[in-house]
Amino acid sequence: MKLSNKTQALQDLIAPAVQACNVDLWGIEFIPQGKRSLLRIYIDKAVDESAEPVMNEDGEAELGRGIGVQDCVRVTQQVGAMLDVHDPISGEYALEVSSPGWDRPFFQLEQMSGYTGQQVALRLISAVENRRKFQAKLIAVDLENEMIQVEVENQHVLDIDSHNIDKAHLIYQD
């Protein structure tokens, strides 16, 4: 899961602005689309089940939940102002800010660690056993060796190098 040079440069530029909004930068996607590109920023924050309700600046009670609309608005304003000053994207672009959602994409191997035992969708750069796309159960994440282990159909287990993963996301299940 390696970011392109442009995406890495944007992430390095954006990270302090996101952190200033008291949320975590989960990841970014930069999609050049001719005259109008798309910069999508995913933000997250830990859910504290035991937290007392807190009133935000709009008078809404926040119950220790994850990302809310106001978090997205704050990050959009902060990052938008920073992008206006530094102007790292040539041409027009759309800026989207959201939570990773139920089917959260993974941008770093460490993010997958909390989801062992759950179903993930993988798109690989190079085929493994003649396949580049998998829906599989995440069995293990080996941060030291930068590998994941997944169980595909018929309890067949595959070891996949994290540098061979083009895209990965969680598959939401009820």
Side-chain angles (χ1 to χ4, degrees), residues 29-149:
E29 293 175 337
F30 178 66
I31 305 164
Q33 299 174 327
K35 291 189 337 184
R36 186 170 171 94
S37 299
L38 173 64
L39 177 58
R40 184 174 295 133
I41 301 172
Y42 295 100
I43 57 175
D44 202 12
K45 67 180 172 184
V47 176
D48 183 1
E49 302 293 337
S50 64
E52 291 292 321
V54 176
M55 299 301 271
N56 65 22
E57 54 268 3
D58 293 330
E60 299 170 346
E62 293 187 356
L63 303 171
R65 59 181 167 71
I67 294 299
V69 173
Q70 287 306 313
D71 295 313
C72 294
V73 169
R74 280 191 296 275
V75 170
T76 300
Q77 292 169 342
Q78 187 83 7
V79 170
M82 188 270 315
L83 291 173
D84 288 345
V85 169
H86 293 282
D87 200 21
I89 301 171
S90 60
E92 294 182 29
Y93 65 92
L95 174 61
E96 291 181 4
V97 177
S98 74
S99 74
W102 293 107
D103 59 346
R104 58 187 49 223
F106 297 112
F107 296 93
Q108 299 169 9
L109 189 59
E110 295 82 15
Q111 293 172 333
M112 297 178 87
S113 296
Y115 296 93
T116 55
Q118 297 192 38
Q119 292 289 314
V120 294
L122 301 171
R123 185 172 79 194
L124 305 180
I125 297 166
S126 300
V128 172
E129 295 192 3
N130 299 320
R131 292 176 59 189
R132 285 188 57 228
K133 292 183 177 180
F134 291 94
Q135 285 194 7
K137 182 178 180 180
L138 183 62
I139 301 297
V141 178
D142 183 349
L143 298 176
E144 186 175 321
N145 295 314
E146 298 182 335
M147 301 280 290
I148 64 168
Q149 200 171 57

